[in-house]
Coordinates of all heavy atoms in Angstrom, one line a residue:
T1 N 81.0 62.7 77.5 CA 80.5 64.1 77.4 C 79.2 64.3 78.1 O 78.5 63.5 78.4 CB 80.2 64.5 75.9 OG1 79.3 63.5 75.5 CG2 81.6 64.3 75.0
I2 N 79.0 65.5 78.5 CA 77.9 66.0 79.2 C 76.8 66.4 78.2 O 77.0 67.1 77.3 CB 78.2 67.3 80.1 CG1 79.3 66.8 81.1 CG2 77.0 67.7 80.9 CD1 79.9 68.0 81.9
Q3 N 75.6 65.8 78.6 CA 74.5 66.1 77.7 C 73.6 67.0 78.3 O 73.5 67.2 79.6 CB 73.8 64.8 77.4 CG 74.7 63.7 76.8 CD 75.2 64.2 75.4 OE1 74.5 64.7 74.6 NE2 76.4 63.8 75.1
P4 N 72.6 67.7 77.5 CA 71.6 68.6 78.3 C 70.9 67.7 79.3 O 70.6 66.5 79.2 CB 70.7 68.9 77.1 CG 71.5 68.7 75.8 CD 72.5 67.6 76.2
D5 N 70.6 68.5 80.4 CA 69.9 67.9 81.5 C 70.7 67.0 82.4 O 70.2 66.5 83.4 CB 68.5 67.2 81.2 CG 67.6 68.2 80.5 OD1 67.5 69.3 80.9 OD2 66.9 67.7 79.6
D6 N 72.0 66.7 81.9 CA 72.8 66.0 82.8 C 73.3 66.9 84.1 O 73.2 68.1 84.0 CB 74.1 65.6 82.2 CG 74.0 64.4 81.3 OD1 72.9 63.8 81.3 OD2 74.9 64.1 80.5
V7 N 73.7 66.2 85.1 CA 74.1 67.0 86.4 C 75.5 66.7 86.7 O 75.9 65.5 86.6 CB 73.3 66.7 87.6 CG1 73.7 67.4 88.8 CG2 71.7 67.1 87.3
M8 N 76.3 67.7 86.8 CA 77.7 67.4 87.1 C 78.0 68.1 88.4 O 77.6 69.2 88.6 CB 78.6 68.1 86.0 CG 80.0 67.8 86.1 SD 81.0 68.5 84.7 CE 82.1 69.6 85.6
T9 N 78.7 67.4 89.3 CA 79.2 68.0 90.6 C 80.6 67.8 90.7 O 81.2 66.8 90.3 CB 78.5 67.0 91.7 OG1 77.0 66.9 91.5 CG2 78.7 67.5 93.0
Y10 N 81.1 68.9 91.3 CA 82.5 69.0 91.5 C 82.8 69.4 92.9 O 82.1 70.3 93.5 CB 83.2 70.2 90.6 CG 84.6 70.4 91.0 CD1 85.6 69.6 90.4 CD2 85.0 71.4 91.8 CE1 86.9 69.7 90.7 CE2 86.4 71.6 92.1 CZ 87.3 70.7 91.5 OH 88.6 70.9 91.7
R11 N 83.6 68.5 93.6 CA 83.8 68.6 95.0 C 85.3 69.0 95.2 O 86.1 68.2 94.7 CB 83.4 67.4 95.8 CG 82.0 67.2 95.9 CD 81.7 65.9 96.7 NE 82.1 66.0 97.9 CZ 82.1 65.0 98.9 NH1 81.7 63.7 98.4 NH2 82.6 65.2 100.1
S12 N 85.6 69.9 96.1 CA 87.1 70.1 96.4 C 87.2 70.5 97.8 O 86.3 70.9 98.6 CB 87.6 71.4 95.6 OG 87.0 72.5 96.1
P13 N 88.3 70.0 98.5 CA 88.4 70.2 99.8 C 88.8 71.6 100.1 O 89.3 72.4 99.4 CB 89.7 69.4 100.1 CG 90.5 69.3 98.8 CD 89.4 69.4 97.7
N14 N 88.5 72.0 101.5 CA 88.9 73.3 102.1 C 88.4 74.5 101.5 O 88.9 75.6 101.7 CB 90.5 73.3 102.0 CG 91.2 72.1 102.1 OD1 90.9 71.4 103.2 ND2 92.1 71.7 101.3
G15 N 87.3 74.4 100.8 CA 86.7 75.7 100.4 C 87.4 76.5 99.3 O 87.1 77.6 99.1
G16 N 88.3 75.8 98.7 CA 89.0 76.6 97.6 C 89.9 77.8 98.0 O 90.1 78.7 97.2
G17 N 90.3 77.9 99.2 CA 91.0 79.0 99.7 C 90.2 80.1 100.3 O 90.6 81.2 100.5
Y18 N 88.9 79.9 100.5 CA 88.1 81.0 101.0 C 88.2 81.1 102.4 O 88.1 80.1 103.2 CB 86.6 80.6 100.8 CG 85.5 81.6 101.1 CD1 85.5 82.9 100.6 CD2 84.9 81.5 102.3 CE1 84.5 83.9 101.0 CE2 84.0 82.4 102.8 CZ 83.8 83.5 102.1 OH 82.9 84.5 102.6
G19 N 88.4 82.2 103.0 CA 88.5 82.5 104.5 C 90.0 82.2 105.0 O 90.8 81.8 104.4
D20 N 90.0 82.7 106.3 CA 91.3 82.5 107.0 C 91.5 81.1 107.4 O 90.6 80.5 108.2 CB 91.2 83.4 108.2 CG 92.5 83.4 109.2 OD1 93.4 82.5 108.9 OD2 92.5 84.2 110.1
P21 N 92.6 80.4 107.0 CA 92.8 79.1 107.4 C 92.9 78.8 108.8 O 92.6 77.6 109.3 CB 94.2 78.7 106.7 CG 94.8 80.0 106.3 CD 93.6 81.2 106.1
L22 N 93.3 79.8 109.6 CA 93.4 79.6 111.1 C 92.0 79.5 111.7 O 91.9 79.2 112.9 CB 94.1 80.7 111.7 CG 95.7 80.8 111.3 CD1 96.4 82.0 112.0 CD2 96.3 79.4 111.6
K23 N 90.9 79.9 111.0 CA 89.6 79.9 111.6 C 88.8 78.7 111.0 O 87.7 78.5 111.4 CB 88.9 81.2 111.1 CG 89.4 82.4 111.8 CD 88.7 83.6 111.5 CE 89.2 84.8 112.3 NZ 88.6 86.1 112.0
R24 N 89.5 77.8 110.2 CA 88.8 76.5 109.8 C 88.6 75.7 111.0 O 89.5 75.5 111.8 CB 89.5 75.8 108.8 CG 89.0 74.6 108.2 CD 89.5 74.3 106.8 NE 89.1 72.9 106.4 CZ 87.8 72.8 105.8 NH1 87.1 73.7 105.6 NH2 87.4 71.5 105.4
P25 N 87.4 75.2 111.2 CA 87.2 74.3 112.4 C 88.2 73.1 112.3 O 88.5 72.5 111.3 CB 85.8 73.9 112.1 CG 85.1 74.9 111.4 CD 86.2 75.3 110.5
S26 N 88.8 72.8 113.5 CA 90.0 71.9 113.6 C 89.3 70.5 113.2 O 90.1 69.6 112.7 CB 90.7 71.9 114.9 OG 89.7 71.8 115.9
A27 N 88.1 70.2 113.4 CA 87.5 68.9 113.2 C 87.4 68.7 111.7 O 87.6 67.6 111.2 CB 86.2 68.8 113.8
K28 N 87.2 69.8 110.9 CA 87.1 69.7 109.5 C 88.5 69.4 108.9 O 88.7 68.7 108.0 CB 86.6 70.9 108.9 CG 85.0 71.1 109.2 CD 84.5 72.2 108.4 CE 82.9 72.3 108.6 NZ 82.1 71.5 107.7
V29 N 89.6 70.1 109.5 CA 91.0 69.9 109.2 C 91.2 68.4 109.3 O 91.9 67.7 108.5 CB 91.8 70.8 109.9 CG1 93.4 70.4 109.6 CG2 91.6 72.2 109.4
L30 N 90.9 67.8 110.5 CA 91.1 66.5 110.8 C 90.5 65.5 109.8 O 91.0 64.6 109.2 CB 90.6 66.1 112.3 CG 90.6 64.6 112.6 CD1 92.0 64.1 112.5 CD2 90.0 64.5 114.0
G31 N 89.2 65.8 109.5 CA 88.5 65.0 108.5 C 89.2 65.2 107.2 O 89.3 64.0 106.4
D32 N 89.7 66.3 106.7 CA 90.4 66.3 105.5 C 91.6 65.5 105.4 O 91.9 64.9 104.4 CB 90.8 67.9 105.2 CG 89.5 68.7 104.8 OD1 88.5 68.2 104.4 OD2 89.8 69.9 104.9
V33 N 92.4 65.5 106.5 CA 93.6 64.7 106.7 C 93.2 63.2 106.6 O 93.8 62.3 105.8 CB 94.4 65.0 108.0 CG1 95.5 64.0 108.1 CG2 94.9 66.4 107.8
L34 N 92.2 62.8 107.3 CA 91.8 61.4 107.4 C 91.3 60.9 105.9 O 91.3 59.8 105.6 CB 90.7 61.1 108.4 CG 91.3 61.3 109.8 CD1 90.0 61.1 110.8 CD2 92.3 60.4 110.2
D35 N 90.7 61.9 105.2 CA 90.2 61.7 103.9 C 91.4 61.7 102.9 O 91.1 61.4 101.6 CB 89.1 62.6 103.5 CG 87.7 62.4 104.2 OD1 87.6 61.3 104.6 OD2 87.0 63.3 104.2
G36 N 92.5 62.1 103.2 CA 93.6 61.9 102.4 C 93.8 63.3 101.5 O 94.6 63.2 100.5
F37 N 93.2 64.4 101.8 CA 93.3 65.5 101.0 C 94.7 66.2 101.2 O 95.2 66.9 100.3 CB 92.2 66.5 101.3 CG 90.8 66.1 100.8 CD1 89.8 66.1 101.7 CD2 90.7 65.8 99.6 CE1 88.5 65.6 101.4 CE2 89.4 65.3 99.0 CZ 88.4 65.2 99.9
Y38 N 95.2 66.1 102.3 CA 96.6 66.5 102.7 C 97.1 65.8 104.0 O 96.3 65.1 104.6 CB 96.6 68.0 102.8 CG 95.6 68.7 103.6 CD1 95.6 68.7 105.1 CD2 94.4 69.3 103.1 CE1 94.7 69.3 105.8 CE2 93.5 69.8 103.8 CZ 93.6 69.9 105.2 OH 92.7 70.5 105.9
G39 N 98.3 66.1 104.5 CA 98.9 65.4 105.5 C 98.8 66.1 106.8 O 98.6 67.4 106.8
A40 N 99.3 65.5 107.8 CA 99.3 66.2 109.2 C 100.3 67.4 109.2 O 100.1 68.4 109.9 CB 99.7 65.2 110.3
E41 N 101.4 67.3 108.4 CA 102.3 68.5 108.4 C 101.7 69.7 107.8 O 101.8 70.8 108.3 CB 103.6 68.1 107.6 CG 104.5 67.2 108.4 CD 105.8 66.8 107.6 OE1 106.0 67.5 106.5 OE2 106.5 66.0 108.1
H42 N 101.0 69.5 106.6 CA 100.1 70.6 106.1 C 99.1 71.3 107.0 O 98.9 72.3 107.2 CB 99.5 70.1 104.7 CG 98.8 71.1 104.1 ND1 99.4 71.9 103.1 CD2 97.5 71.5 104.0 CE1 98.6 72.8 102.5 NE2 97.4 72.5 103.0
A43 N 98.4 70.2 107.8 CA 97.5 70.7 108.7 C 98.1 71.7 109.7 O 97.5 72.7 110.1 CB 96.8 69.5 109.4
R44 N 99.4 71.3 110.2 CA 100.0 72.0 111.2 C 100.5 73.4 110.6 O 100.3 74.4 111.2 CB 101.2 71.2 111.8 CG 102.0 72.0 112.8 CD 103.3 71.3 113.1 NE 104.2 71.3 111.9 CZ 104.9 70.3 111.3 NH1 104.8 69.3 111.8 NH2 105.5 70.5 110.2
D45 N 101.1 73.2 109.4 CA 101.7 74.4 108.9 C 100.9 75.5 108.3 O 101.1 76.7 108.4 CB 102.8 74.0 107.8 CG 103.9 73.2 108.4 OD1 104.1 73.0 109.5 OD2 104.6 72.5 107.5
V46 N 99.7 75.0 107.8 CA 98.8 75.9 107.0 C 97.6 76.3 108.0 O 97.3 77.4 108.1 CB 98.4 75.4 105.7 CG1 97.2 76.3 105.2 CG2 99.5 75.1 104.8
Y47 N 97.1 75.3 108.6 CA 95.8 75.5 109.5 C 96.1 75.7 111.0 O 95.2 76.0 111.7 CB 94.8 74.4 109.2 CG 94.3 74.3 107.8 CD1 94.9 73.5 106.8 CD2 93.4 75.2 107.4 CE1 94.5 73.4 105.6 CE2 92.9 75.1 106.0 CZ 93.5 74.3 105.2 OH 93.0 74.3 103.9
G48 N 97.3 75.4 111.3 CA 97.8 75.5 112.7 C 97.0 74.4 113.6 O 97.0 74.7 114.8
V49 N 96.7 73.2 113.0 CA 96.0 72.2 113.8 C 97.1 71.1 114.0 O 97.6 70.5 113.1 CB 94.8 71.8 113.0 CG1 94.2 70.6 113.6 CG2 93.9 72.8 112.8
L50 N 97.1 70.8 115.2 CA 98.1 69.6 115.7 C 97.1 68.3 115.8 O 96.1 68.4 116.5 CB 98.8 69.9 116.9 CG 99.6 71.2 116.9 CD1 100.3 71.3 118.2 CD2 100.5 71.2 115.7
L51 N 97.6 67.3 115.3 CA 96.7 66.0 115.2 C 97.6 64.9 115.8 O 98.6 64.7 115.9 CB 96.3 65.7 113.9 CG 95.6 66.8 113.0 CD1 95.4 66.3 111.5 CD2 94.2 66.9 113.6
D52 N 96.6 64.0 116.5 CA 97.1 62.7 116.7 C 96.5 61.7 115.9 O 95.3 61.2 116.0 CB 96.7 62.4 118.3 CG 97.2 61.0 118.7 OD1 97.5 60.1 117.9 OD2 97.2 60.8 120.1
L53 N 97.1 61.2 114.9 CA 96.6 60.4 113.9 C 96.4 59.0 114.3 O 95.4 58.3 113.8 CB 97.6 60.4 112.6 CG 97.7 61.7 111.9 CD1 98.6 61.5 110.6 CD2 96.3 62.2 111.4
E54 N 97.0 58.5 115.3 CA 96.8 57.2 115.8 C 95.4 57.2 116.6 O 94.6 56.2 116.4 CB 98.0 56.7 116.7 CG 99.1 56.3 116.0 CD 100.0 55.5 117.0 OE1 99.5 54.9 118.0 OE2 101.2 55.6 116.7
A55 N 95.2 58.3 117.2 CA 93.8 58.2 117.9 C 92.8 59.0 117.1 O 91.6 59.0 117.5 CB 94.0 59.0 119.3
E56 N 93.3 59.6 116.0 CA 92.3 60.2 115.0 C 91.6 61.3 115.8 O 90.3 61.6 115.8 CB 91.3 59.4 114.3 CG 91.9 58.3 113.4 CD 91.0 57.5 112.7 OE1 89.7 57.6 113.0 OE2 91.4 56.7 111.8
T57 N 92.4 62.3 116.6 CA 91.9 63.3 117.3 C 92.8 64.6 117.1 O 93.8 64.6 116.6 CB 91.9 63.0 118.9 OG1 93.3 62.7 119.2 CG2 91.0 61.9 119.2
V58 N 92.2 65.7 117.5 CA 92.9 67.0 117.5 C 93.4 67.3 118.8 O 92.8 67.0 120.0 CB 91.9 68.1 117.1 CG1 92.4 69.5 117.2 CG2 91.4 67.9 115.7
D59 N 94.7 67.7 118.9 CA 95.3 68.2 120.1 C 94.8 69.7 120.3 O 95.2 70.6 119.7 CB 96.8 68.2 120.0 CG 97.5 68.9 121.2 OD1 96.9 69.4 122.1 OD2 98.8 68.7 121.2
G60 N 93.7 69.7 121.1 CA 93.0 71.0 121.3 C 94.0 72.1 121.9 O 94.0 73.2 121.3
P61 N 94.5 71.9 123.0 CA 95.4 72.9 123.7 C 96.7 73.2 122.7 O 97.0 74.4 122.5 CB 95.9 72.3 124.9 CG 94.8 71.3 125.3 CD 94.4 70.8 124.0
G62 N 97.2 72.1 122.1 CA 98.3 72.4 121.2 C 97.9 73.1 120.0 O 98.6 74.1 119.5
T63 N 96.7 73.0 119.4 CA 96.1 73.8 118.3 C 95.9 75.1 118.7 O 96.3 76.1 118.0 CB 94.9 73.0 117.7 OG1 95.2 71.8 117.2 CG2 94.2 73.9 116.6
E64 N 95.4 75.4 119.8 CA 95.2 76.8 120.3 C 96.5 77.6 120.3 O 96.6 78.7 119.9 CB 94.4 76.9 121.6 CG 92.9 76.4 121.5 CD 92.3 76.5 122.8 OE1 92.7 77.4 123.7 OE2 91.3 75.8 123.0
A65 N 97.5 77.0 120.9 CA 98.7 77.6 121.1 C 99.4 77.8 119.7 O 100.0 78.9 119.5 CB 99.7 76.8 122.0
R66 N 99.4 76.8 118.9 CA 100.0 77.0 117.6 C 99.3 78.1 116.7 O 99.9 78.9 116.1 CB 99.9 75.6 116.8 CG 100.2 75.7 115.4 CD 101.8 75.6 115.2 NE 102.0 75.5 113.8 CZ 103.2 75.9 113.3 NH1 104.0 76.4 114.0 NH2 103.3 75.8 111.9
R67 N 97.9 78.1 116.7 CA 97.3 79.0 116.0 C 97.5 80.5 116.6 O 97.7 81.4 115.8 CB 95.8 78.8 116.0 CG 95.4 77.7 115.1 CD 93.9 77.4 115.1 NE 93.5 76.6 113.8 CZ 92.3 76.2 113.6 NH1 91.4 76.5 114.4 NH2 92.1 75.5 112.5
A68 N 97.6 80.7 117.9 CA 98.0 82.0 118.5 C 99.4 82.3 118.0 O 99.5 83.6 117.8 CB 97.9 81.9 120.0
D69 N 100.3 81.5 118.0 CA 101.7 81.8 117.5 C 101.6 82.2 116.0 O 102.3 83.1 115.7 CB 102.7 80.5 117.7 CG 103.0 80.4 119.1 OD1 102.7 81.2 120.0 OD2 103.4 79.2 119.4
M70 N 100.9 81.5 115.2 CA 100.9 81.8 113.8 C 100.2 83.1 113.6 O 100.5 83.9 112.7 CB 100.1 80.6 113.1 CG 100.8 79.4 113.0 SD 99.8 78.0 112.3 CE 99.9 78.5 110.5
A71 N 99.1 83.5 114.4 CA 98.4 84.7 114.2 C 99.3 85.9 114.5 O 99.3 87.0 113.9 CB 97.2 84.7 115.0
L72 N 100.1 85.7 115.5 CA 101.1 86.8 115.9 C 102.2 87.0 114.7 O 102.7 88.1 114.7 CB 101.8 86.5 117.2 CG 101.0 86.5 118.4 CD1 101.7 86.0 119.6 CD2 100.5 88.0 118.6
A73 N 102.6 86.0 114.0 CA 103.6 85.9 113.1 C 103.1 86.8 111.8 O 104.0 87.1 110.9 CB 104.1 84.6 112.7
V74 N 101.8 87.0 111.6 CA 101.4 87.6 110.4 C 101.6 89.0 110.4 O 101.8 89.8 111.2 CB 99.7 87.4 110.2 CG1 99.2 88.1 109.0 CG2 99.5 85.9 110.1

């Protein structure tokens, strides 16, 4: 149980849904995937970020194109 003067910290990934997912920095999305918060498919489908997990990098041009396509579909 928590006692008076105790400090409790709660951390959650992705800002709890705050803001446009297509504007989340792709490096942060990569970090979330590498930390196991979600997979590469979720990164692609929700954030529009394409990843190379073997190299642990973001496909910059692919991400830009994917995000542009997703923005048009809204």
Side-chain angles (χ1 to χ4, degrees):
T1 59
I2 299 172
Q3 302 298 318
D5 297 322
D6 284 351
V7 175
M8 185 173 119
T9 303
Y10 177 79
R11 295 179 58 191
S12 69
N14 316 317
Y18 179 77
D20 182 350
L22 297 180
K23 293 183 179 177
R24 180 161 175 79
S26 56
K28 288 188 179 271
V29 174
L30 173 61
D32 288 343
V33 171
L34 295 177
D35 288 339
F37 291 124
Y38 47 82
E41 288 182 8
H42 184 83
R44 181 195 64 227
D45 295 344
V46 175
Y47 296 97
V49 177
L50 304 181
L51 303 173
D52 178 342
L53 293 182
E54 283 190 30
E56 296 184 356
T57 59
V58 173
D59 173 354
T63 293
E64 286 183 30
R66 172 80 176 152
R67 285 181 162 183
D69 288 345
M70 290 174 72
L72 290 175
V74 175

